[in-house]
Amino acid sequence: MTGTTLDDYTDRYARRVRGMNASEIRALFAVASRPEVVSLAGGAPYIAALPLDAVGEMLGRLGAEHGATTLQYGIGQGTLELRERICEVMALSGIDAACGASPEDVVVTVGGQQALDLVARLFLDPGDVVLAEGPTYVGALGVFQAAQAQVVHVPMDSDGLIPEALETAIADLARAGRRVKFLYTIPTYQNPTGVTLSEERRERVLDICERAGLLVVEDDPYGQLGFEGEAPAPLRARRRDGVFYLSTFSKTFAPGLRVGWILAPHAVRDKLVIASEAQILCPSGYAQAAVSTYLGTMPWRQQLKVYREVYRERRDAMLTALEDLMPAGTTWTTPGGGLFVWATLPDGLDSKAMMPRAIAARVAYVPGTGFYADGAGTGHMRLNFSFPPPERIREGIRRLAGVMEQDIAMRRVFGAVGGSGVRRRQGGSDAPGPDLA
C-alpha cells in the first residue's frame, strides 16, 4: 500500500506555491466572528458610522439608472472619473499636481492587496530581497513570499523605521551579493504597530534609498485617519521618482467594494495596466462608480472626521483598559491614528502559544508572529480598536489580561510556557523600545 497525503496534487504545484502560507488573521476570522468572542483581531473599519441609508439609496440608483454602463466591462486602468477623484483625495495629503500627481499615472486596483501584488509581479524575481519594517503588514508578506522573494526586516522604534538600521541592512545584503529590489513601508500609523515615521526620518529614508538605487513602495491605507493633528506628508509628496504610492478606500469608505489604487512613475504605468488586465481584465465598473459617486455627491470629508472621532474614542478606551488591567511588564504603543495597538508581553509569554487559551476565554487578537517573515514576534500581539465599541474593548482587555495572568502563574509554578525574550516595562513609557522585535 502506497502512502498518501491530504493533498493529491502536492507534486504538481508550481514552485511559487511553496511560499504561500495561510494568513494568521484569516485563520482567526471564523472563531473571532462568533458573537460571544470579543474580537481585537481584525482590522475592520466601523462601517456603521457611515450614513448607510444614504449610501444604500446611492447604490440602488447606480444600478437602476446607470446599470447599462456600471455593470459592463471597463478599461484596465480604471475610469477617468474615479482617477480624477483619487487625485482629489491624494491632494488632501499633499500629493498634488505640483509633485507630479496626475490621473494619467493612477491605476485603479481591486483593493490595496492587488496593488501590492502588481508591484511584486513587475519587480520581483525569485530570490530577490524586499526590505520591510519589522513587524510589517501580514498581507504584504504573503504577496512577497508567493513571489519567491525574501523579506528582510528593518527594526523600528517609536519614531518608525530606523535609518541607520536601513543603511546597515542595505550594506550587509550588498556584501552578501543579494539583490534588493525595494523598500516596502507603511510610514503613517503603521500596521501592526500604529507607529508613524517621524518628519526628519522621512527625508533620511528617502535619501538612503535614492543613494542605494532602491525603489520605495509606500503603502498608505491609514494616513487620513489621524487623531492628533495632521500626519507628516507622505513620502510620495516629497519625491516623485522611484516612489510608488499605494492606497485604498477600504479604511475610509467601504472594504466590501474592494477599490484601491497605485500612483506610479509614468514609465511604469502601462506595465501595471497590462499586468492588471492579465489578472482581472478590468476593475469592477459598479464598484468604481460607487466610489466616484460617493466622493462626488456625499460629504466624505466630514465622514473622515466622524471616523477619526469614533476611532480616537476607541483608541483611548483601549489605552485606558491596558493601563488599568494589564499585568506588570506589559508595554504597548500609543498610536496617533490608524486602527491598531502593538503590545509587548511580559517576559517569557508567547502570544501564539497563548492563543487557544484566549479563544477559550472568548477574546481574540493576532499573535505577533504573523507580522514577521522569519517567525519572530512571539512576545508581541496586535490589538485592533476600530470595530468593537468602547465597553467591549474594555471587556476584551479584561479577558485577555486574565489569560496572561494565568500564563504568568503557570510559568511561576511549572517553568517557561514559551520563550520570547521580550522587553519588560516597569511603570515606564508606553513608547516601544529601540527595536520593536
Side-chain angles (χ1 to χ4, degrees), residues 20-150:
M20 294 182 179
N21 298 310
S23 163
E24 303 244 3
I25 300 175
R26 294 289 168 186
L28 285 170
F29 272 11
V31 172
S33 61
R34 298 201 312 245
E36 70 273 17
V37 175
V38 179
S39 178
L40 307 175
Y46 186 58
I47 295 300
L50 285 168
L52 292 178
D53 289 348
V55 170
E57 291 176 8
M58 178 195 81
L59 296 175
R61 287 195 303 273
L62 280 178
E65 299 174 13
H66 305 285
T69 54
T70 61
L71 300 178
Q72 186 55 274
Y73 286 116
I75 63 172
Q77 188 176 354
T79 67
L80 177 59
E81 180 184 8
L82 179 56
R83 288 184 278 121
E84 290 174 340
R85 296 291 184 191
I86 285 170
C87 286
E88 293 175 13
V89 171
M90 290 192 296
L92 287 183
S93 302
I95 304 174
D96 54 20
C99 61
S102 163
E104 292 303 309
D105 295 331
V106 172
V107 177
V108 178
T109 60
V110 182
Q113 193 69 17
Q114 193 209 6
L116 277 170
D117 191 68
L118 290 175
V119 171
R121 285 172 181 266
L122 259 59
F123 290 102
L124 294 180
D125 289 315
D128 283 345
V129 175
V130 174
L131 292 172
E133 293 138 344
T136 193
Y137 169 50
V138 64
L141 291 177
V143 167
F144 303 148
Q145 288 163 355
Q148 298 177 275
Q150 179 190 359

Side-chain angles (χ1 to χ4, degrees), residues 171-406:
D172 289 346
L173 289 162
R175 281 193 295 270
R178 305 297 305 280
R179 184 167 65 168
V180 184
K181 282 294 183 70
F182 55 77
L183 169 68
Y184 169 72
T185 177
I186 311 170
T188 306
Y189 315 134
Q190 198 246 11
N191 180 2
T193 65
V195 166
T196 295
L197 185 65
S198 68
E199 183 77 35
E200 182 265 341
R201 285 189 181 180
R202 291 182 181 232
E203 294 295 337
R204 292 174 63 193
V205 165
L206 286 168
D207 288 343
I208 290 167
C209 290
E210 187 173 308
R211 288 196 300 269
L214 289 187
L215 301 175
V216 176
V217 178
E218 178 181 18
D219 199 355
D220 189 25
Y222 314 105
Q224 294 182 345
L225 297 176
F227 313 144
E228 317 292 349
E230 295 299 319
L235 304 180
R236 179 57 182 80
R238 303 158 190 268
R239 309 278 172 95
R240 70 171 71 180
D241 295 330
V243 179
F244 292 74
Y245 181 82
L246 283 54
S247 193
T248 177
F249 291 104
S250 292
K251 304 302 187 291
T252 56
F253 180 27
L257 291 173
R258 309 304 304 131
V259 177
W261 73 90
I262 307 174
L263 175 64
H266 185 75
V268 185
R269 188 269 322 272
D270 287 344
K271 291 182 175 60
L272 285 168
V273 173
I274 292 169
S276 182
E277 288 173 339
Q279 284 184 324
I280 62 168
L281 292 183
C282 60
S284 163
Y286 184 81
Q288 291 181 83
V291 175
S292 297
T293 305
Y294 173 76
L295 295 173
T297 64
M298 301 188 75
W300 60 273
R301 292 175 180 83
Q302 183 61 37
Q303 185 61 43
L304 286 176
K305 295 179 182 178
V306 171
Y307 275 132
R308 290 176 192 136
E309 290 301 319
V310 169
Y311 296 157
R312 180 191 292 113
E313 179 188 25
R314 296 178 180 203
R315 177 208 59 179
D316 291 348
M318 177 167 283
L319 295 179
T320 299
L322 290 167
E323 188 67 42
D324 292 346
L325 302 170
M326 275 288 152
T330 312
T331 64
W332 51 87
T333 57
T334 302
L339 310 181
F340 307 110
V341 167
W342 181 250
T344 300
L345 305 181
D347 208 5
L349 296 192
D350 183 325
S351 63
K352 192 165 187 177
M354 194 172 68
M355 191 68 204
R357 294 183 286 280
I359 294 298
R362 296 170 300 164
V363 62
Y365 57 86
V366 184
T369 50
F371 304 98
Y372 289 91
D374 56 5
T378 57
H380 306 272
M381 63 175 69
R382 192 192 74 177
L383 304 172
N384 167 256
F385 54 77
S386 62
F387 192 74
E391 63 276 9
R392 290 284 283 173
I393 289 173
R394 187 171 184 88
E395 175 60 18
I397 296 298
R398 186 193 67 78
R399 296 177 187 181
L400 181 55
V403 173
M404 292 168 62
E405 294 282 10
Q406 289 177 351

